[in-house]
């Protein structure tokens, strides 16, 4: 008997549109045969592949593999026994991918629905359009598990503390702590800019009362740099924490549009915020951008300066020339990734005015500074 669906199977169509298959009746068979509640035409799907039932006591769906050749996977792990499912779990049946949704979670009922027969991915490999722990990630964006660390930036000549770099971290038990993995997840959800802004807001709030006059370098993700709400968001931080001296780090991949960078620099100057080019030298040199829209600071990528004292004369000469170019443009050169005193001394001789790296201090939790 069909009724209003409490559970849905969300999927992504070939054109990227989100779709939902209502689970109208339980048990709910899935497979290639016409007598299944969901007839699934996809590679790796058996005639009677899997079944969904209800654990009434816990009001949760249970997925059972019916002896299929290619198996069933939940959150990338193959199941070998009936498994209790939760809202947001990612299920693979052959090459087809679904997210488990409850109607009371709100989102699925706004999606276009499909009935009975679904033609899914034609390739042999399981698709990966959906992301596990999506609900936890959005809770993280709202503040659940956000954390921050600070790493000192010092004067090259005498080691005086000049600034800290703000580094986003995560403590949510269902999500990775590493910012690299968090941004990988955010990119798949098209939320990298939002993650960057959330980490920055949280970090500034925690660090603002602990800086004691030091500047704060805060990262910006390329996905957010030219968005309309980027500068207003920075301005809001300046208003909320008026004593903070903020420097926004613009990744070198985001500075190729010179006219927009000039405009961005002017808008940041209007609210009293300076900016730096980050990871300089990691990719292209971006020499044109340096001269057309010079930043206040240029952070040389650690790949250029870490181990520089032991590098050949040619690399040392290249780095020295780049530092001189930065100085000639009126910017301040900052060396990242300094771990050895020999590298620090050579960087001083080359004209670097600021340094950052384990030699001067590792990142520490902002709340303990």
């Amino acid at each position: 008997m069909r009724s209003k669906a409490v559970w849905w199977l969300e999927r992504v169509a070939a054109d990227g549109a989100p779709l939902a298959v209502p689970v109208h009746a339980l048990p709910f068979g899935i497979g290639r045969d016409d007598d299944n509640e969901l007839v699934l035409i996809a590679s790796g799907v058996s005639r009677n592949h899997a079944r969904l039932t209800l654990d009434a006591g816990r009001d949760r769906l249970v997925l059972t593999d019916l002896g299929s050749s290619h198996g069933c996977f939940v959150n990338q792990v193959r199941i070998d026994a009936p498994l209790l499912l939760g809202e947001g779990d990612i299920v693979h049946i052959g090459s087809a991918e679904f997210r488990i949704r409850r109607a009371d979670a709100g989102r699925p009922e706004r999606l276009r629905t499909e009935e009975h027969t679904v033609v899914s991915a034609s390739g042999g490999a399981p698709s990966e359009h959906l992301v596990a722990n999506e609900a936890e990630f959005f809770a993280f964006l709202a503040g659940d598990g956000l954390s921050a660390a600070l790493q000192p930036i010092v004067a090259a000549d005498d080691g005086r503390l000049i600034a800290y770099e703000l580094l986003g971290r995560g403590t949510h038990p269902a999500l990775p702590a590493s910012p690299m993995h968090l941004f990988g997840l955010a990119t798949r959800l098209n939320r990298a800019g939002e993650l960057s802004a959330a980490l920055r807001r949280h970090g500034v709030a925690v660090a603002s009362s602990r800086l004691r006059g030091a500047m704060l370098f805060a990262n910006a993700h390329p996905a957010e740099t030219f968005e309309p709400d980027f500068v207003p968001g920075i301005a809001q931080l300046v208003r909320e924490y008026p004593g903070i001296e903020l420097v926004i780090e613009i990744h070198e991949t985001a500075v190729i549009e010179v006219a927009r960078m000039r405009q961005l620099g002017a808008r940041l100057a209007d609210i009293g915020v300076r900016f730096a080019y980050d990871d300089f030298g990691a990719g292209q040199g971006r020499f044109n951008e340096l001269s057309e829209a010079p930043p206040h600071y240029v952070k040389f990528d650690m790949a250029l300066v870490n181990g520089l004292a032991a590098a050949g004369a040619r690399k040392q000469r290249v780095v020295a020339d780049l530092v001189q170019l930065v100085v000639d443009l009126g910017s301040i050169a900052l060396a990242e990734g300094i771990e050895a005193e020999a590298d620090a001394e050579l960087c001083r001789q080359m004209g670097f005015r600021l340094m950052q790296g384990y030699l001067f201090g590792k990142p520490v939790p902002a709340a303990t500074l």
Side-chain angles (χ1 to χ4, degrees), residues 280 287 290-291 294 298 300 304-305 308 315-334 346-353:
F280 180 70
F287 305 118
L290 277 176
S291 60
V298 176
F300 280 62
L304 284 179
V305 298
L308 186 59
K315 180 177 180 180
Q316 293 176 1
R317 186 166 58 252
V318 167
V319 174
D321 289 344
L322 290 174
V323 174
Q324 189 59 52
L325 171 66
V326 168
V327 172
D328 290 345
L329 291 172
S331 301
I332 294 174
L334 190 161
L346 183 57
C347 285
R348 291 185 192 102
Q349 297 172 15
M350 289 181 174
F352 281 100
R353 287 177 53 190

Side-chain angles (χ1 to χ4, degrees), residues 9-15 17 19 21 30-32 38-45 91-99 114 116-130:
L9 304 178
E10 180 185 348
R11 77 182 190 93
V12 177
D15 63 357
L19 304 169
V21 179
I30 304 172
R32 288 189 289 110
L38 173 59
V39 178
L40 181 57
I41 310 301
S43 60
V45 177
V91 174
H92 281 94
I93 307 293
S95 62
E97 181 184 45
F98 300 93
R99 189 197 308 278
E114 300 177 291
H116 190 59
T117 300
V118 167
V119 179
S120 190
S122 58
S127 57
E128 293 188 34
H129 298 295
L130 302 172

Side-chain angles (χ1 to χ4, degrees), residues 26-338:
L26 292 164
F28 187 86
I30 304 172
R32 288 189 289 110
D33 276 2
D34 287 340
D35 59 355
N36 286 289
E37 280 67 32
L38 173 59
V39 178
L40 181 57
I41 310 301
S43 60
V45 177
S46 300
R47 294 175 61 185
N48 293 287
H49 195 110
R51 181 185 297 121
L52 293 172
T53 54
L54 182 67
D55 184 318
R58 286 176 279 193
D59 193 25
R60 300 263 295 278
L61 288 180
V62 176
L63 176 66
T64 302
D65 186 290
L66 300 179
S68 65
S69 300
H70 292 83
C72 299
F73 292 77
V74 177
N75 299 328
Q76 305 294 334
V77 178
R78 184 168 183 165
I79 67 172
D80 55 12
L83 184 70
L84 201 64
L85 300 175
E87 158 72 22
D89 280 346
I90 307 298
V91 174
H92 281 94
I93 307 293
S95 62
E97 181 184 45
F98 300 93
R99 189 197 308 278
I100 302 299
R101 289 296 202 188
R102 282 189 65 99
D104 55 17
R107 184 179 175 189
E109 295 205 47
R110 298 196 294 272
L111 304 181
R112 180 160 60 89
T113 61
E114 300 177 291
E115 301 286 342
H116 190 59
T117 300
V118 167
V119 179
S120 190
S122 58
S127 57
E128 293 188 34
H129 298 295
L130 302 172
V131 179
N133 304 117
E134 182 188 56
E136 291 84 354
F137 178 79
F138 285 112
F140 180 72
L141 286 185
D144 184 6
L146 289 173
S147 185
L150 297 173
Q151 185 175 27
I153 297 171
V154 304
D157 54 357
D158 58 10
R160 287 176 297 113
L161 177 68
I162 300 297
Y164 291 99
E165 181 178 0
L166 176 63
L167 303 167
R169 298 287 188 268
T171 60
H172 194 293
L175 297 173
S178 158
M180 180 179 69
H181 292 106
L182 284 170
F183 273 102
L185 178 60
T187 298
R188 292 185 63 191
L189 291 167
N190 197 29
R191 295 290 190 275
E194 293 178 43
L195 174 59
S196 178
L199 291 170
R200 188 168 53 246
R201 284 194 303 269
H202 175 81
V204 169
V206 174
S208 60
S209 63
R210 296 170 166 84
L211 297 175
R212 299 179 182 177
M215 294 184 292
L216 186 66
F217 282 65
N219 288 281
H221 193 275
E224 64 173 332
T225 306
F226 299 119
E227 290 299 305
D229 58 353
F230 176 62
V231 174
I234 303 295
Q236 180 64 32
L237 291 176
V238 173
R239 288 192 297 270
E240 289 184 18
Y241 306 98
I244 198 169
E245 195 172 351
L246 199 58
V247 179
I248 298 298
E249 296 189 18
I250 308 296
H251 193 270
E252 64 111 19
T253 58
V255 303
I256 59 175
E257 298 184 63
V258 173
R260 297 177 82 180
M261 274 309 307
R262 284 203 205 98
Q263 183 182 48
L264 177 61
R267 294 180 67 196
L268 290 172
D270 287 342
I271 60 173
V273 172
R274 286 173 282 183
F275 72 101
Y277 285 163
D278 193 17
D279 295 333
F280 180 70
Q284 300 181 44
R286 307 296 185 200
F287 305 118
N288 184 57
E289 288 82 357
L290 277 176
S291 60
E292 296 293 330
H296 299 88
Y297 304 91
V298 176
K299 299 189 74 175
F300 280 62
D301 187 73
M302 64 182 302
L304 284 179
V305 298
N306 186 271
L308 186 59
R314 181 177 179 181
K315 180 177 180 180
Q316 293 176 1
R317 186 166 58 252
V318 167
V319 174
D321 289 344
L322 290 174
V323 174
Q324 189 59 52
L325 171 66
V326 168
V327 172
D328 290 345
L329 291 172
S331 301
I332 294 174
L334 190 161
E336 286 191 283
I338 301 292

